[in-house]
Amino acid sequence: MWGLVRGQANPHVSRLRKHIGDVRITTGDLLDQGSLISAVERVQPDEVYNLGAISYVPMSWQQAELTAEVTGMGVLRTLEAIRVVSGVSASRTPGREQIRFYQASSSEMFGMVRETPQNEKTPFHPRSPYGVAKTYGHYITQNYRESYGMFAVSGILFNHESPRRGAEFVTRKVSLGVARIKLGLAAELRLGNLDARRDWGFAGDYARAMRMMLAQESPEDYVIGTGRTRSVRDLVEFAFRTAGLDWERYVVLDGKYTRPAEVDLLCADPKKAREQLGWEPEVGFEELVTMMVESDLRLLGGSRRP
Ligand code: GDP
């Protein structure tokens, strides 16, 4: 297994090595077409998973053009690298040994949702530059499949979380906040919109779904989620309760964390994945939140010891 990093002194490489023992690292940048062609030539992969993106939604308003380049155009460049290295053109469709491509599409593409729950046929209405860039990535993946017969699929994944989630996302911000308050390291937790609803699942379950999609006979897109939606308030209430705390004493609303345009409600209809892939999530919401809070209590509790 290979991981792609931008090169130079990337601080995330050691973290990656710690978690996935036998991963080899090569360099390439989603902004640089030539570097991606070289990487595909060097590695000769059977499968390529594009999980690379500027993925924090608020950042996408601050760096809208960079988000379009990395999160959107980066998909095109990766597809092109695969196409060029495989020698695929419109007149010459790939043979049986083609490189399989997975694109990390996102429930943020549904944005202001047209129906609930959302399935593979639900129209898109993205609400952030991130959502717009992901929508481009989704359509260009579909287009390369239709234009060149490439084995290219999109997984439309709803929010997926784990103790490794970045601290800026609401689940990890809450689990870290609860742990800090419980350990006496903080007195409050500042949050934005508590009414937003998301379909939160466990990242490990979702990574399993990605691999299942590439193991299918034919390339198709799938919605991956739990089918249950909860508000940020539900998340906060449950996370504080697992640590024996009353959230209302600690949570402070802060307008800094509200967004120019919000995605109010996301809820997956994962029927196709269940029926065609045989995929089911194994970790539920309560187990996920408990896992994250306990992990952060250990992390911060451990680091406090002399
Ligand atoms: P997203 O769904 O990919 O944007 O994932 P996030 O975890 O960043 O946000 C999920 C939801 O939580 C959004 O509707 C946010 O508006 C809401 N939210 C409320 N307070 C916060 C906060 O302090 N930080 C973040 N990241 N999200 C918050």
Side-chain angles (χ1 to χ4, degrees):
M1 192 192 299
W2 290 81
L4 189 77
V5 299
R6 268 174 291 163
Q8 294 208 322
N10 188 321
H12 298 303
V13 173
S14 57
R15 200 177 69 179
L16 194 70
R17 284 197 193 285
K18 205 163 73 189
H19 290 299
I20 320 169
D22 64 349
V23 70
R24 285 182 282 179
I25 303 289
T26 191
T27 53
D29 193 316
L30 288 171
L31 299 178
D32 184 333
Q33 181 70 76
S35 76
L36 296 176
I37 294 173
S38 303
V40 174
E41 264 171 351
R42 209 162 37 241
V43 169
Q44 295 288 322
D46 301 316
E47 299 177 339
V48 172
Y49 292 83
N50 178 35
L51 314 183
I54 289 183
S55 67
Y56 182 44
V57 170
M59 180 62 72
S60 76
W61 276 284
Q62 288 160 26
Q63 300 184 349
E65 188 181 339
L66 186 63
T67 301
E69 280 290 347
V70 175
T71 307
M73 290 289 283
V75 187
L76 173 65
R77 295 189 190 99
T78 309
L79 284 161
E80 270 295 286
I82 294 170
R83 188 185 71 77
V84 168
V85 173
S86 331
V88 179
S89 63
S91 58
R92 193 175 155 265
T93 49
R96 291 173 61 82
E97 303 300 318
Q98 56 178 310
I99 300 169
R100 296 187 169 208
F101 175 73
Y102 174 87
Q103 168 57 17
S105 282
S106 165
S107 55
E108 286 288 319
M109 300 187 307
F110 295 125
M112 188 186 277
V113 296
R114 305 276 180 87
E115 60 182 1
T116 295
Q118 295 86 47
N119 64 33
E120 293 78 5
K121 296 200 172 75
T122 303
F124 299 138
H125 184 148
R127 291 277 278 170
S128 62
Y130 167 80
V132 173
K134 279 286 179 188
T135 305
Y136 173 80
H138 184 81
Y139 283 132
I140 199 68
T141 301
Q142 200 173 61
N143 180 258
Y144 268 54
R145 178 168 75 218
E146 292 172 4
S147 303
Y148 301 113
M150 285 168 63
F151 195 111
V153 308
S154 288
I156 307 174
L157 270 52
F158 283 61
N159 298 50
H160 41 288
E161 318 293 319
S162 86
R164 294 183 208 163
R165 184 59 137 153
E168 66 273 38
F169 293 88
V170 76
T171 50
R172 187 75 196 286
K173 186 172 170 183
V174 168
S175 66
L176 276 168
V178 168
R180 281 196 193 105
I181 290 168
K182 182 75 184 175
L183 296 167
L185 302 171
E188 63 179 30
L189 174 62
R190 304 185 83 84
L191 293 171
N193 179 11
L194 300 186
D195 295 318
R197 302 185 72 89
R198 290 290 182 277
D199 179 338
W200 282 292
F202 173 55
D205 283 335
Y206 290 45
R208 188 160 45 82
M210 295 177 199
R211 301 198 69 182
M212 287 170 133
M213 286 179 220
L214 289 203
Q216 297 302 298
E217 285 267 302
S218 64
E220 287 182 41
D221 302 333
Y222 297 87
V223 155
I224 300 294
T226 70
R228 295 197 59 182
T229 181
R230 290 182 169 85
S231 66
V232 174
R233 187 178 284 99
D234 295 335
L235 163 74
V236 167
E237 199 179 317
F238 185 78
F240 275 83
R241 187 145 35 94
T242 58
L245 300 169
D246 174 8
W247 72 278
E248 286 177 292
R249 289 185 53 200
Y250 303 101
V251 170
V252 178
L253 298 185
D254 189 334
K256 197 166 80 185
Y257 298 109
T258 53
R259 300 172 178 192
E262 177 66 289
V263 173
D264 295 323
L265 179 149
L266 293 174
C267 183
D269 172 6
K271 183 163 174 267
K272 181 180 175 189
R274 190 168 55 236
E275 290 180 356
Q276 292 193 25
L277 302 176
W279 178 82
E280 292 275 1
E282 285 171 9
V283 178
F285 176 78
E286 281 83 7
E287 195 182 338
L288 171 65
V289 176
T290 306
M291 180 200 306
M292 292 180 72
V293 170
E294 284 177 354
S295 165
D296 284 330
L297 279 169
R298 274 196 306 276
L299 189 74
L300 299 181
S303 65
R304 268 200 331 167
R305 281 190 213 109

